[in-house]
Amino acid sequence: MDDHIQQAWQFYRNLGSPKFICAPMVDQSELAFRMQTRKYGTTLAYTPMLHSRIMTESKSYKDEFFTTCPEDRPLFAQLCGHDPQVIIKAALMIQDQCDAIDLNFGCPQGIARKGLYGAFLLEKREQVLTIVKELKQNIKVPVTCKIRVFKDRKRTLDLTKDIQSAGCSILTVHGRTKEQNKDFVGQCDWNIIAEIKQLLQIPVFANGGIYTWSDVERCLQETKVDAVMSSEALLENPALFSGEIKDLNELALEYMQLAKQYDARLVEIKAHLFKLLYTGLQIHTDQRSKLAAAKTYEEHLEVVIELKNKRADIPKEDKLGWYKRYQNFKQPNQKDKEDDKQENIIQEQDLLLQNYDS
Ligand SMILES: Cc1cc2nc3c(=O)[nH]c(=O)nc-3n(C[C@H](O)[C@H](O)[C@H](O)COP(=O)(O)O)c2cc1C
């Protein structure tokens, strides 16, 4: 086994061999949420994607979007970008406050096409490999990567092997292509994840297609990956990795306390509450409008408390529903406005980045 592979495993073991991972999520895997999921079985968390260039140009961007605390570990900070020097500069700014720098090669949004990062950069093999190599040589924490897959299986497998050789210490594979996005999310391909796990020697994390705790167990079993990363199911049930469905009203209240403690932004609070309270808001649409219009922390808290009383008699299991909306295969014209709002959260972040850009 070569040195790099040995070091990758040593690194993973030193983190405590985490198995249950909170995904990077713009406006959603912020400090308060990470701290909540850590209470319920998450053993490693990622920051939301941070834009390298904007980070190096704007101190206010860094201060607003990269917040952490000593208890918030292990933590991988995720960067996006395409210029190795800029990515290195951004990584050097935060490497002392995280355990690894993760590179986003998975974002399928329009802004990633425009800025040439995420899944669009994945098309440029040489550039991807140069970024991984140069970043590894210039920072003191390990470099990890999160990718989507190509339709062409061989191309995917070849690229993952090259990424490993370039110095990536952990690879997360989201088993969907960049075209499987928005209304075309569709099935996540665990078979390709299993093939990648079999092919590579570094630790591999699986991402995508997790709805419930039994999916977590099944994914570990079927793909043999080292860890499972969840995004949307965890947003709806931050206690997913505890293997239990806790009372979502209580979790919403607890999130509000953490949001206050860790100074979450209102945009983050609102987006979390739409998911945590999804089923209640479907029934009590007056509260949904109230949540949409809420402008202060207190107004958001008021909705949580009112809804707690109103849906007290709904069984815990029946309170889940937001992530299942994909299973209903809703056509775009069947979706309600709040679904759209929530699904477009990354696009809102796009706008925000554009503002910082201008
Ligand atoms: C609100 C939201 C924000 C996201 N932001 C990021 C991000 O910053 N970086 C990233 O690599 N993926 C991001 N993703 C994608 C997720 O990390 C994950 O790859 C995807 O949702 C599939 O996992 P799931 O099926 O468990 O939801 C985001 C997803 C959501 C729903």
Side-chain angles (χ1 to χ4, degrees):
M1 211 189 277
D2 76 21
D3 279 358
H4 165 56
I5 306 292
Q6 267 183 21
Q7 281 162 13
W9 280 103
Q10 192 57 48
F11 164 62
Y12 179 65
R13 277 194 288 268
N14 287 346
L15 296 175
S17 305
K19 262 197 159 38
F20 307 118
I21 322 290
C22 169
M25 289 174 279
V26 165
D27 280 348
Q28 297 286 260
S29 65
E30 87 285 3
L31 176 59
F33 184 71
R34 296 197 298 268
M35 293 308 284
Q36 184 173 35
T37 70
R38 288 180 194 279
K39 283 184 73 173
Y40 300 103
T42 287
T43 42
L44 163 65
Y46 284 56
T47 67
M49 173 185 88
L50 299 158
H51 193 295
S52 305
R53 185 177 54 71
I54 300 174
M55 189 137 96
T56 60
E57 289 171 357
S58 160
K59 186 171 175 329
S60 67
Y61 174 81
K62 176 184 170 275
D63 292 347
E64 191 173 351
F65 292 97
F66 180 71
T67 52
T68 181
C69 66
E71 300 75 38
D72 181 32
R73 304 297 276 266
L75 176 70
F76 288 6
Q78 191 189 60
L79 294 177
C80 71
H82 60 256
D83 180 336
Q85 293 314 314
V86 175
I87 297 175
I88 291 168
K89 203 170 160 193
L92 290 172
M93 291 167 76
I94 53 176
Q95 65 170 354
D96 289 334
Q97 290 166 281
C98 61
D99 297 286
I101 297 292
D102 186 69
L103 292 167
N104 181 333
F105 295 125
C107 182
Q109 309 292 333
I111 187 91
R113 180 199 298 272
K114 194 168 154 244
L116 187 58
Y117 60 79
F120 297 93
L121 187 57
L122 212 52
E123 308 277 345
K124 311 229 175 255
R125 182 179 160 280
E126 288 308 322
Q127 201 167 345
V128 165
L129 302 181
T130 304
I131 292 171
V132 176
K133 262 186 220 149
E134 294 201 7
L135 188 59
K136 183 178 162 66
Q137 280 163 13
N138 285 282
I139 62 172
K140 63 182 186 197
V141 294
V143 175
T144 64
C145 301
K146 178 166 178 278
I147 63 164
R148 283 190 177 234
V149 297
F150 298 123
K151 274 192 200 115
D152 181 336
R153 303 180 89 75
K154 183 170 177 321
R155 189 174 170 213
T156 307
L157 293 171
D158 288 349
L159 183 69
T160 59
K161 199 115 207 259
D162 290 343
I163 288 177
Q164 171 178 275
S165 305
C168 171
S169 291
I170 295 177
L171 182 69
T172 299
V173 184
H174 179 187
R176 295 188 177 98
T177 64
K178 73 174 180 316
E179 290 72 28
Q180 286 180 278
N181 187 24
K182 298 196 181 130
D183 294 325
F184 305 101
V185 172
Q187 290 292 317
C188 178
D189 183 354
W190 285 357
N191 293 330
I192 186 75
I193 299 179
E195 283 178 56
I196 292 168
K197 171 61 197 168
Q198 211 172 21
L199 178 73
L200 299 193
Q201 291 170 288
I202 55 172
V204 173
F205 297 172
N207 173 231
I210 302 293
Y211 292 84
T212 61
W213 173 247
S214 74
D215 292 334
V216 174
E217 293 181 308
R218 207 165 46 80
C219 182
L220 283 169
Q221 214 170 42
E222 289 181 16
T223 62
K224 307 274 186 291
V225 288
D226 303 286
V228 168
M229 171 188 279
S230 168
S231 160
E232 297 204 66
L234 201 56
L235 286 178
E236 181 162 11
N237 174 18
L240 171 77
F241 289 134
S242 69
E244 291 170 33
I245 299 171
K246 307 268 184 212
D247 185 317
L248 295 184
N249 296 309
E250 293 299 338
L251 287 174
L253 269 179
E254 182 182 66
Y255 170 74
M256 289 304 284
Q257 281 161 12
L258 291 165
K260 192 167 200 109
Q261 184 179 345
Y262 295 110
D263 216 6
R265 292 149 59 236
L266 285 178
V267 62
E268 292 157 346
I269 294 176
K270 194 185 294 290
H272 278 299
L273 293 183
F274 269 117
K275 282 143 204 153
L276 277 161
L277 305 175
Y278 180 80
T279 49
L281 295 171
Q282 294 289 99
I283 302 163
H284 303 288
T285 50
D286 56 324
Q287 294 297 320
R288 192 165 68 179
S289 312
K290 203 166 157 181
L291 180 57
K295 291 207 166 42
T296 62
Y297 173 87
E298 288 69 27
E299 284 170 9
H300 285 83
L301 184 60
E302 223 174 270
V303 175
V304 177
I305 294 168
E306 282 177 31
L307 213 57
K308 178 170 155 48
N309 299 332
K310 285 188 170 174
R311 65 172 192 167
D313 50 346
I314 305 177
K316 278 192 289 194
E317 286 70 16
D318 294 348
K319 285 189 180 124
L320 292 171
W322 178 66
Y323 198 4
K324 285 190 189 145
R325 73 202 187 284
Y326 287 135
Q327 290 176 321
N328 298 336
F329 297 107
K330 277 187 194 172
Q331 296 302 314
N333 61 1
Q334 287 178 301
K335 284 204 238 156
D336 65 38
K337 284 201 182 98
E338 290 310 330
D339 278 351
D340 277 345
K341 240 189 226 164
Q342 292 310 303
E343 284 167 22
N344 287 341
I345 191 154
I346 300 185
Q347 284 167 323
E348 284 168 23
Q349 176 73 2
D350 288 356
L351 277 177
L352 199 118
L353 289 176
Q354 278 163 10
N355 288 341
Y356 267 99
D357 246 356
S358 57

